[in-house]
Amino acid sequence: MNQIIFVAGGAGFVGANLVPRLLEEGAVVVVADNFCRGLRDALPHHERLHVIEADLADRAATAQAFEQAAALGPLKEVWHLAANSDIPAGVEDSDVDFKDTFRTTFELLRAMRAHGVKHFHFASSSAVYGDLGNQPLHEGLGPLLPISNYGAMKLASEAQASAAAESFLERVNLFRFPNVVGVPATHGVILDFINKLARTPDNLVVLGDGTQQKAYLHVSDLVNAMLMVRARNDSRKVELVNIGPTDEGITVRRIAEMVVARVAPTATLSFGQGNKGWVGDVPKFTYLTDKMQAYGWQPSVSSAGAVERAIDEIARQQGH
Amino acid sequence: MNQIIFVAGGAGFVGANLVPRLLEEGAVVVVADNFCRGLRDALPHHERLHVIEADLADRAATAQAFEQAAALGPLKEVWHLAANSDIPAGVEDSDVDFKDTFRTTFELLRAMRAHGVKHFHFASSSAVYGDLGNQPLHEGLGPLLPISNYGAMKLASEAQASAAAESFLERVNLFRFPNVVGVPATHGVILDFINKLARTPDNLVVLGDGTQQKAYLHVSDLVNAMLMVRARNDSRKVELVNIGPTDEGITVRRIAEMVVARVAPTATLSFGQGNKGWVGDVPKFTYLTDKMQAYGWQPSVSSAGAVERAIDEIARQQGH
């Protein structure tokens, strides 16, 4: 009997890239998504793929989704990719990240305990580090003082999964994502810029002064990294890794220029003030990924290369 | 008009020691407690002290408690000392720490935002560090992988307070408590031993092999440390400090011997196996408190001295 893999938030951007890889392995995949941002069409139609609409912040709905999954065969692992992805909305109302970013983790872990599911893979975030200035971010850094509710609830999720590893899980992988780009794009700076240019093709207004510099990873490299860590055969219950490019990132100004060059070459650029786009935005950070590299992983492209590739992919997605 | 200080969980062990100090400053103090462990009699009767029974994990109850406090005058600061303090109960059912340790933080911060209260002092815990073996615990350590739901929800609370500092708080102090001893004791190893000896005066059975070594602080030193950090006049919004003794701690075996010597000198000692008393118990850790010492703070007694003093205090409390 095929083993069942449960992917929470699996119809979102990362899920749409991960799920086909899991299907290639021969697994039966159950995607549960609230379709707040996820799209059914982002996923392939496949006889081994089952898609459930469920709000995983809700205990009864999560229990029901697990019952449905368990009816298909032995539940082997849970990937948790569900979260609020609108950081400013989460800063405005703390309930947003409490529910969509943390409560989902909390309820998934409870359901896993009830069903005896032992493997948990979690999409955490560089946002857990907060704003540490120019200090390169490695996994051994503390204290972790996130500056957004999103980052706070990702850190809370890591912590709850870690405690679960002590009491009932066998294997927990915590992946601290950088900014990830690619398709199907549902949000993010590139899509925002392309959408803005669709409305005002002559001018692109950028929040902040454009000097914000961030590391970007292409989603294909992210999925490769996660699958590589998942395949580890050491005995540690909990692994926690930064996943990201090895370069220092790319500025928002450069991204804006590249988007303009691809979709509206005659448009001018306007910048705001300050190097934070919004409350909770971390202006610049450098990610250390030595742990990931020790797995033999390397990103196939740099931050600039990932952004360039994603701009082309998202431009096509948006009909350019 | 006097400024109002709100103390969540203020009828518990630490609150009972903190509140008299706040009253000495001339403040009006509002204690809100669910009286799950807190006791009204632990607090003095004082014309500037108001005690409210409220479950601060509940949004409506928290809002009502803040309304009552705000009716007395301008709400200046919130001390958050409320939490589940039964770690094994929290490991058994994750809802316990979710509600009592984290949700209380979450709802207090929402109420503070609504009322424009800008200063938050939080009782965090060494449990956020998880089990890092013999590595001395300093504030710059990561990753933080707690091994109990209690530690996880304390870390989640730190994170949520940190995010709140970015958006609406002016001053956040996060205190990572060690094991704290003193009276009024409501729980903890010393009270457990004294209660066990009251039932079986001939023999004291200790969970684990007694080699667990932990740092202990007397509650009076803890309160001094917190008030010293609260008085800081630097401009940083968030401060996070370990509070603890400067020694390497004391073993459970030594505590058991000292308790027996004080209350049942003829009793024998029996030990279990393993160096963890329960799931989620951290067997041994050494706390670094350089940051606290830079404030000019020093504990007045060592771990052994704190335990000795507390054994006498708790023995008296229990009628010995």
Side-chain angles (χ1 to χ4, degrees):
Chain A
M1 202 178 209
N2 280 319
Q3 288 189 309
I4 313 298
I5 300 177
F6 189 97
V7 186
F13 165 48
V14 175
N17 286 274
L18 173 69
V19 167
R21 299 286 299 274
L22 299 175
L23 290 169
E24 278 170 24
E25 293 178 357
V28 173
V29 178
V30 175
V31 162
D33 204 292
N34 66 358
F35 294 102
C36 167
R37 283 178 188 263
L39 294 169
R40 179 61 187 86
D41 289 346
L43 293 169
H45 288 266
H46 191 291
E47 57 176 1
R48 278 185 280 104
L49 174 60
H50 302 258
V51 180
I52 299 170
E53 182 168 348
D55 176 4
L56 300 170
D58 181 81
R59 183 162 299 176
T62 305
Q64 195 179 8
F66 269 63
E67 292 297 335
Q68 288 181 255
L72 299 168
L75 254 170
K76 180 167 180 260
E77 58 183 288
V78 170
W79 289 77
H80 179 21
L81 310 172
N84 166 50
S85 53
D86 184 345
I87 293 181
V91 169
E92 190 55 42
D93 179 1
S94 56
D95 274 345
V96 173
D97 281 299
F98 174 72
K99 180 178 165 295
D100 293 343
T101 306
F102 176 64
R103 184 98 205 198
T104 50
T105 310
F106 186 81
E107 294 304 334
L108 283 168
L109 290 168
R110 283 186 73 95
M112 288 178 72
R113 185 177 193 172
H115 283 264
V117 191
K118 305 287 190 191
H119 292 208
F120 186 66
H121 310 285
F122 177 62
S124 188
S125 167
S126 63
V128 301
Y129 290 106
D131 185 358
L132 293 169
N134 292 325
Q135 198 172 1
L137 303 181
H138 63 86
E139 296 88 346
L141 268 186
L144 299 175
L145 298 171
I147 62 170
S148 64
N149 291 327
Y150 173 78
M153 294 298 91
K154 285 291 189 186
L155 182 55
S157 297
E158 285 187 0
Q160 189 69 17
S162 169
E166 182 73 9
S167 73
F168 64 93
L169 295 178
E170 283 172 5
R171 182 62 53 121
V172 172
N173 291 315
L174 305 172
F175 304 113
R176 288 183 176 167
F177 288 15
N179 297 291
V180 185
V181 291
V183 282
T186 59
H187 62 284
V189 63
I190 297 171
L191 183 63
D192 283 352
F193 285 169
I194 290 175
N195 286 341
K196 278 183 176 178
L197 283 164
R199 291 191 296 271
T200 58
D202 293 343
N203 184 248
L204 175 60
V205 180
V206 178
L207 288 177
D209 63 10
T211 63
Q212 305 108 295
Q213 180 171 325
K214 291 187 187 174
Y216 288 90
L217 190 72
H218 194 271
V219 66
S220 56
D221 285 326
L222 176 81
V223 170
N224 284 338
M226 293 194 292
L227 293 175
M228 201 172 269
V229 173
R230 171 182 177 247
R232 70 190 169 91
N233 54 16
D234 61 67
S235 64
R236 286 169 306 129
K237 279 190 175 179
V238 182
E239 174 65 304
L240 181 150
V241 289
N242 286 347
I243 303 178
T246 50
D247 56 87
E248 295 220 327
I250 175 174
T251 63
V252 172
R253 175 182 290 270
R254 182 75 194 113
I255 297 172
E257 290 167 354
M258 288 162 75
V259 170
V260 164
R262 172 64 176 77
V263 305
T266 60
T268 55
L269 285 169
S270 306
F271 293 93
Q273 295 196 331
N275 69 351
K276 290 194 181 192
W278 54 78
V279 174
D281 189 29
V282 180
K284 177 179 173 175
F285 63 88
T286 304
Y287 227 37
L288 292 184
T289 57
D290 302 20
K291 276 183 84 170
M292 246 347 285
Q293 288 168 58
Y295 278 95
W297 176 85
Q298 282 284 347
S300 62
V301 286
S302 66
S303 287
V307 166
E308 185 168 30
R309 184 169 155 197
I311 287 172
D312 189 58
E313 291 168 338
I314 300 171
R316 285 173 201 272
Q317 167 187 301
Q318 299 302 101
H320 289 275
Chain B
M1 201 177 210
N2 281 320
Q3 289 190 310
I4 313 299
I5 300 177
F6 190 98
V7 186
F13 165 47
V14 176
N17 286 274
L18 173 69
V19 166
R21 299 287 299 272
L22 299 176
L23 290 168
E24 278 169 25
E25 293 178 358
V28 173
V29 178
V30 176
V31 162
D33 204 293
N34 66 359
F35 293 101
C36 166
R37 281 178 189 264
L39 294 169
R40 178 61 186 88
D41 288 346
L43 294 169
H45 289 266
H46 191 290
E47 58 176 2
R48 280 186 277 103
L49 174 60
H50 302 259
V51 180
I52 299 170
E53 181 169 349
D55 175 4
L56 300 171
D58 181 81
R59 184 163 298 177
T62 306
Q64 195 180 6
F66 269 63
E67 292 298 336
Q68 287 181 255
L72 299 168
L75 254 170
K76 181 169 178 256
E77 57 183 285
V78 171
W79 290 78
H80 179 20
L81 310 173
N84 165 51
S85 52
D86 184 345
I87 293 182
V91 169
E92 191 54 42
D93 179 1
S94 57
D95 274 346
V96 173
D97 281 299
F98 173 72
K99 178 178 167 296
D100 292 343
T101 307
F102 176 63
R103 184 100 205 198
T104 49
T105 311
F106 186 81
E107 295 304 333
L108 283 168
L109 290 168
R110 284 186 74 94
M112 288 178 71
R113 185 177 193 172
H115 282 264
V117 190
K118 305 286 192 191
H119 291 208
F120 186 66
H121 310 285
F122 177 62
S124 187
S125 167
S126 62
V128 301
Y129 290 106
D131 184 357
L132 292 168
N134 291 326
Q135 199 172 359
L137 303 181
H138 63 86
E139 297 88 345
L141 268 188
L144 298 175
L145 297 172
I147 62 170
S148 64
N149 291 326
Y150 174 78
M153 295 298 90
K154 285 291 188 186
L155 183 54
S157 296
E158 285 187 0
Q160 189 69 17
S162 169
E166 182 73 11
S167 73
F168 65 93
L169 295 178
E170 283 172 4
R171 182 64 51 126
V172 172
N173 292 316
L174 305 173
F175 304 113
R176 289 184 176 166
F177 288 15
N179 298 292
V180 185
V181 289
V183 283
T186 59
H187 62 284
V189 63
I190 298 171
L191 183 62
D192 283 352
F193 286 169
I194 291 175
N195 285 340
K196 278 183 179 179
L197 284 165
R199 290 191 296 270
T200 57
D202 294 342
N203 182 249
L204 175 60
V205 179
V206 178
L207 287 177
D209 63 9
T211 63
Q212 304 108 295
Q213 180 170 325
K214 292 186 186 175
Y216 288 90
L217 190 72
H218 194 270
V219 65
S220 56
D221 285 326
L222 176 81
V223 170
N224 285 338
M226 294 195 292
L227 293 174
M228 202 172 267
V229 173
R230 169 182 177 245
R232 69 189 169 90
N233 55 15
D234 59 67
S235 64
R236 287 168 308 127
K237 280 189 174 179
V238 182
E239 175 64 304
L240 180 150
V241 288
N242 287 348
I243 303 178
T246 52
D247 56 87
E248 296 220 328
I250 176 173
T251 63
V252 172
R253 175 181 292 267
R254 182 77 193 110
I255 297 173
E257 290 166 354
M258 289 162 75
V259 170
V260 164
R262 173 63 177 79
V263 305
T266 60
T268 55
L269 285 169
S270 307
F271 293 92
Q273 295 198 329
N275 69 350
K276 289 194 180 190
W278 55 76
V279 175
D281 189 29
V282 179
K284 176 180 173 174
F285 63 88
T286 304
Y287 227 36
L288 292 183
T289 56
D290 301 21
K291 277 182 84 171
M292 249 343 288
Q293 289 170 57
Y295 278 95
W297 176 84
Q298 283 283 348
S300 63
V301 285
S302 65
S303 288
V307 166
E308 184 168 30
R309 184 169 156 196
I311 287 172
D312 189 58
E313 291 169 338
I314 299 171
R316 285 173 200 273
Q317 167 187 302
Q318 299 302 101
H320 289 274

Short mmCIF file of all heavy atoms in Angstrom, two decimals, chain B residues 13-48:
data_model
loop_
_atom_site.label_atom_id
_atom_site.label_comp_id
_atom_site.label_asym_id
_atom_site.label_seq_id
_atom_site.Cartn_x
_atom_site.Cartn_y
_atom_site.Cartn_z
N PHE B 13 3.46 33.02 42.77
CA PHE B 13 4.68 33.06 43.58
C PHE B 13 5.52 34.31 43.32
O PHE B 13 5.84 35.06 44.27
CB PHE B 13 5.47 31.78 43.27
CG PHE B 13 6.89 31.77 43.72
CD1 PHE B 13 7.25 32.18 45.00
CD2 PHE B 13 7.88 31.32 42.85
CE1 PHE B 13 8.58 32.15 45.40
CE2 PHE B 13 9.21 31.29 43.26
CZ PHE B 13 9.56 31.71 44.53
N VAL B 14 5.83 34.59 42.08
CA VAL B 14 6.67 35.77 41.79
C VAL B 14 5.88 37.05 42.03
O VAL B 14 6.40 38.02 42.61
CB VAL B 14 7.24 35.70 40.36
CG1 VAL B 14 8.02 36.98 40.03
CG2 VAL B 14 8.15 34.47 40.20
N GLY B 15 4.62 37.04 41.61
CA GLY B 15 3.79 38.22 41.80
C GLY B 15 3.69 38.64 43.26
O GLY B 15 3.75 39.84 43.58
N ALA B 16 3.55 37.67 44.12
CA ALA B 16 3.42 37.96 45.55
C ALA B 16 4.67 38.65 46.10
O ALA B 16 4.61 39.37 47.10
CB ALA B 16 3.15 36.67 46.32
N ASN B 17 5.81 38.42 45.44
CA ASN B 17 7.04 39.09 45.85
C ASN B 17 7.26 40.41 45.13
O ASN B 17 7.91 41.31 45.66
CB ASN B 17 8.24 38.16 45.60
CG ASN B 17 8.30 37.02 46.62
OD1 ASN B 17 8.85 37.19 47.69
ND2 ASN B 17 7.67 35.89 46.29
N LEU B 18 6.74 40.52 43.91
CA LEU B 18 6.91 41.75 43.14
C LEU B 18 5.93 42.85 43.57
O LEU B 18 6.30 44.02 43.69
CB LEU B 18 6.71 41.46 41.64
CG LEU B 18 6.69 42.68 40.72
CD1 LEU B 18 8.09 43.32 40.65
CD2 LEU B 18 6.21 42.30 39.31
N VAL B 19 4.68 42.46 43.78
CA VAL B 19 3.62 43.45 44.02
C VAL B 19 3.94 44.37 45.20
O VAL B 19 3.77 45.60 45.09
CB VAL B 19 2.25 42.75 44.15
CG1 VAL B 19 1.19 43.69 44.72
CG2 VAL B 19 1.80 42.23 42.77
N PRO B 20 4.41 43.84 46.34
CA PRO B 20 4.74 44.75 47.45
C PRO B 20 5.80 45.78 47.08
O PRO B 20 5.75 46.92 47.55
CB PRO B 20 5.26 43.79 48.54
CG PRO B 20 4.61 42.48 48.23
CD PRO B 20 4.56 42.42 46.73
N ARG B 21 6.74 45.40 46.22
CA ARG B 21 7.77 46.34 45.78
C ARG B 21 7.17 47.46 44.92
O ARG B 21 7.58 48.62 45.02
CB ARG B 21 8.87 45.60 45.00
CG ARG B 21 9.60 44.52 45.81
CD ARG B 21 10.54 45.12 46.84
NE ARG B 21 11.57 45.92 46.22
CZ ARG B 21 12.74 45.44 45.78
NH1 ARG B 21 13.02 44.16 45.92
NH2 ARG B 21 13.64 46.24 45.22
N LEU B 22 6.21 47.09 44.07
CA LEU B 22 5.55 48.10 43.24
C LEU B 22 4.70 49.03 44.09
O LEU B 22 4.64 50.24 43.84
CB LEU B 22 4.71 47.42 42.15
CG LEU B 22 5.48 46.52 41.18
CD1 LEU B 22 4.50 45.82 40.22
CD2 LEU B 22 6.52 47.31 40.38
N LEU B 23 4.06 48.47 45.10
CA LEU B 23 3.26 49.30 46.02
C LEU B 23 4.16 50.28 46.77
O LEU B 23 3.78 51.44 46.98
CB LEU B 23 2.48 48.42 47.00
CG LEU B 23 1.32 47.61 46.38
CD1 LEU B 23 0.81 46.56 47.37
CD2 LEU B 23 0.18 48.53 45.92
N GLU B 24 5.36 49.81 47.14
CA GLU B 24 6.31 50.70 47.83
C GLU B 24 6.68 51.92 47.00
O GLU B 24 7.02 52.97 47.53
CB GLU B 24 7.62 49.93 48.13
CG GLU B 24 7.57 49.06 49.36
CD GLU B 24 8.80 48.15 49.45
OE1 GLU B 24 9.86 48.50 48.88
OE2 GLU B 24 8.67 47.08 50.07
N GLU B 25 6.63 51.75 45.66
CA GLU B 25 6.96 52.88 44.76
C GLU B 25 5.85 53.92 44.73
O GLU B 25 6.01 54.97 44.12
CB GLU B 25 7.15 52.37 43.33
CG GLU B 25 8.37 51.47 43.14
CD GLU B 25 8.46 50.96 41.71
OE1 GLU B 25 7.55 51.27 40.89
OE2 GLU B 25 9.44 50.26 41.40
N GLY B 26 4.70 53.58 45.31
CA GLY B 26 3.57 54.52 45.31
C GLY B 26 2.58 54.28 44.19
O GLY B 26 1.61 55.02 44.03
N ALA B 27 2.81 53.23 43.41
CA ALA B 27 1.93 52.95 42.28
C ALA B 27 0.60 52.36 42.74
O ALA B 27 0.49 51.81 43.84
CB ALA B 27 2.59 51.96 41.33
N VAL B 28 -0.42 52.53 41.88
CA VAL B 28 -1.64 51.75 42.03
C VAL B 28 -1.43 50.45 41.25
O VAL B 28 -1.04 50.49 40.09
CB VAL B 28 -2.86 52.51 41.47
CG1 VAL B 28 -4.10 51.63 41.47
CG2 VAL B 28 -3.09 53.78 42.28
N VAL B 29 -1.65 49.33 41.91
CA VAL B 29 -1.38 48.04 41.27
C VAL B 29 -2.68 47.28 41.08
O VAL B 29 -3.47 47.14 42.02
CB VAL B 29 -0.39 47.21 42.13
CG1 VAL B 29 -0.16 45.83 41.49
CG2 VAL B 29 0.93 47.96 42.30
N VAL B 30 -2.88 46.82 39.85
CA VAL B 30 -4.02 45.96 39.55
C VAL B 30 -3.49 44.56 39.25
O VAL B 30 -2.74 44.37 38.29
CB VAL B 30 -4.83 46.49 38.35
CG1 VAL B 30 -5.95 45.52 37.99
CG2 VAL B 30 -5.39 47.88 38.65
N VAL B 31 -3.84 43.62 40.08
CA VAL B 31 -3.47 42.23 39.86
C VAL B 31 -4.64 41.52 39.20
O VAL B 31 -5.77 41.60 39.69
CB VAL B 31 -3.11 41.53 41.19
CG1 VAL B 31 -3.14 40.00 41.04
CG2 VAL B 31 -1.74 42.00 41.68
N ALA B 32 -4.37 40.87 38.08
CA ALA B 32 -5.38 40.01 37.46
C ALA B 32 -4.86 38.58 37.48
O ALA B 32 -3.72 38.32 37.06
CB ALA B 32 -5.66 40.46 36.03
N ASP B 33 -5.66 37.69 37.98
CA ASP B 33 -5.20 36.30 38.16
C ASP B 33 -6.41 35.39 38.01
O ASP B 33 -7.53 35.77 38.36
CB ASP B 33 -4.58 36.16 39.56
CG ASP B 33 -3.59 35.01 39.66
OD1 ASP B 33 -4.04 33.83 39.55
OD2 ASP B 33 -2.39 35.26 39.81
N ASN B 34 -6.18 34.19 37.47
CA ASN B 34 -7.30 33.24 37.36
C ASN B 34 -7.44 32.40 38.64
O ASN B 34 -8.35 31.57 38.74
CB ASN B 34 -7.19 32.35 36.12
CG ASN B 34 -5.99 31.42 36.19
OD1 ASN B 34 -5.23 31.44 37.16
ND2 ASN B 34 -5.82 30.62 35.15
N PHE B 35 -6.52 32.60 39.58
CA PHE B 35 -6.52 31.88 40.85
C PHE B 35 -6.51 30.37 40.68
O PHE B 35 -7.03 29.63 41.51
CB PHE B 35 -7.67 32.35 41.76
CG PHE B 35 -7.47 33.77 42.20
CD1 PHE B 35 -8.15 34.81 41.59
CD2 PHE B 35 -6.52 34.06 43.17
CE1 PHE B 35 -7.92 36.12 41.97
CE2 PHE B 35 -6.29 35.38 43.54
CZ PHE B 35 -6.98 36.41 42.94
N CYS B 36 -5.90 29.95 39.56
CA CYS B 36 -5.70 28.53 39.35
C CYS B 36 -4.65 28.04 40.34
O CYS B 36 -4.79 27.01 40.98
CB CYS B 36 -5.25 28.33 37.91
SG CYS B 36 -4.58 26.73 37.54
N ARG B 37 -3.57 28.79 40.50
CA ARG B 37 -2.57 28.52 41.53
C ARG B 37 -2.38 29.70 42.48
O ARG B 37 -1.97 29.53 43.61
CB ARG B 37 -1.20 28.21 40.89
CG ARG B 37 -1.12 26.80 40.37
CD ARG B 37 0.21 26.55 39.70
NE ARG B 37 0.21 25.27 39.02
CZ ARG B 37 0.68 24.15 39.55
NH1 ARG B 37 1.24 24.16 40.73
NH2 ARG B 37 0.63 23.02 38.90
N GLY B 38 -2.63 30.89 41.95
CA GLY B 38 -2.46 32.08 42.77
C GLY B 38 -3.43 32.08 43.95
O GLY B 38 -4.49 31.45 43.90
N LEU B 39 -3.06 32.75 45.00
CA LEU B 39 -3.88 32.84 46.20
C LEU B 39 -4.06 34.30 46.59
O LEU B 39 -3.07 35.04 46.67
CB LEU B 39 -3.22 32.10 47.37
CG LEU B 39 -3.10 30.58 47.22
CD1 LEU B 39 -2.20 30.02 48.31
CD2 LEU B 39 -4.49 29.94 47.28
N ARG B 40 -5.29 34.70 46.89
CA ARG B 40 -5.54 36.08 47.32
C ARG B 40 -4.74 36.42 48.56
O ARG B 40 -4.20 37.52 48.70
CB ARG B 40 -7.04 36.30 47.57
CG ARG B 40 -7.40 37.70 48.07
CD ARG B 40 -6.99 38.75 47.04
NE ARG B 40 -7.17 40.12 47.50
CZ ARG B 40 -6.26 40.82 48.17
NH1 ARG B 40 -5.13 40.25 48.55
NH2 ARG B 40 -6.47 42.08 48.48
N ASP B 41 -4.60 35.43 49.44
CA ASP B 41 -3.88 35.67 50.70
C ASP B 41 -2.38 35.84 50.52
O ASP B 41 -1.68 36.24 51.45
CB ASP B 41 -4.14 34.52 51.68
CG ASP B 41 -5.57 34.57 52.21
OD1 ASP B 41 -6.23 35.62 52.02
OD2 ASP B 41 -6.03 33.57 52.78
N ALA B 42 -1.88 35.50 49.33
CA ALA B 42 -0.46 35.71 49.07
C ALA B 42 -0.15 37.20 48.94
O ALA B 42 1.01 37.61 49.06
CB ALA B 42 -0.05 34.98 47.79
N LEU B 43 -1.17 38.00 48.70
CA LEU B 43 -0.98 39.44 48.48
C LEU B 43 -1.40 40.22 49.72
O LEU B 43 -2.31 39.81 50.44
CB LEU B 43 -1.82 39.89 47.28
CG LEU B 43 -1.39 39.31 45.94
CD1 LEU B 43 -2.44 39.60 44.87
CD2 LEU B 43 -0.03 39.91 45.52
N PRO B 44 -0.76 41.36 49.94
CA PRO B 44 -1.15 42.18 51.08
C PRO B 44 -2.53 42.84 50.84
O PRO B 44 -2.99 42.91 49.71
CB PRO B 44 -0.06 43.27 51.12
CG PRO B 44 0.43 43.37 49.71
CD PRO B 44 0.31 41.98 49.15
N HIS B 45 -3.15 43.25 51.91
CA HIS B 45 -4.33 44.11 51.76
C HIS B 45 -3.84 45.54 51.83
O HIS B 45 -3.18 45.94 52.78
CB HIS B 45 -5.37 43.79 52.84
CG HIS B 45 -6.02 42.47 52.60
ND1 HIS B 45 -7.20 42.33 51.91
CD2 HIS B 45 -5.60 41.21 52.90
CE1 HIS B 45 -7.51 41.05 51.81
NE2 HIS B 45 -6.55 40.35 52.40
N HIS B 46 -4.10 46.30 50.76
CA HIS B 46 -3.51 47.61 50.62
C HIS B 46 -4.48 48.48 49.84
O HIS B 46 -5.08 48.02 48.86
CB HIS B 46 -2.16 47.49 49.88
CG HIS B 46 -1.33 48.73 49.92
ND1 HIS B 46 -1.67 49.86 49.22
CD2 HIS B 46 -0.16 49.00 50.55
CE1 HIS B 46 -0.75 50.79 49.43
NE2 HIS B 46 0.17 50.30 50.24
N GLU B 47 -4.59 49.73 50.22
CA GLU B 47 -5.60 50.57 49.56
C GLU B 47 -5.28 50.83 48.09
O GLU B 47 -6.16 51.14 47.29
CB GLU B 47 -5.75 51.91 50.30
CG GLU B 47 -4.44 52.68 50.39
CD GLU B 47 -4.59 54.06 51.05
OE1 GLU B 47 -5.72 54.38 51.47
OE2 GLU B 47 -3.59 54.79 51.10
N ARG B 48 -3.99 50.72 47.72
CA ARG B 48 -3.64 50.92 46.30
C ARG B 48 -3.54 49.61 45.51
O ARG B 48 -3.07 49.62 44.39
CB ARG B 48 -2.33 51.70 46.20
CG ARG B 48 -2.52 53.21 46.38
CD ARG B 48 -1.24 54.01 46.15
NE ARG B 48 -0.39 54.02 47.33
CZ ARG B 48 0.70 53.27 47.47
NH1 ARG B 48 1.10 52.49 46.48
NH2 ARG B 48 1.41 53.32 48.58
#
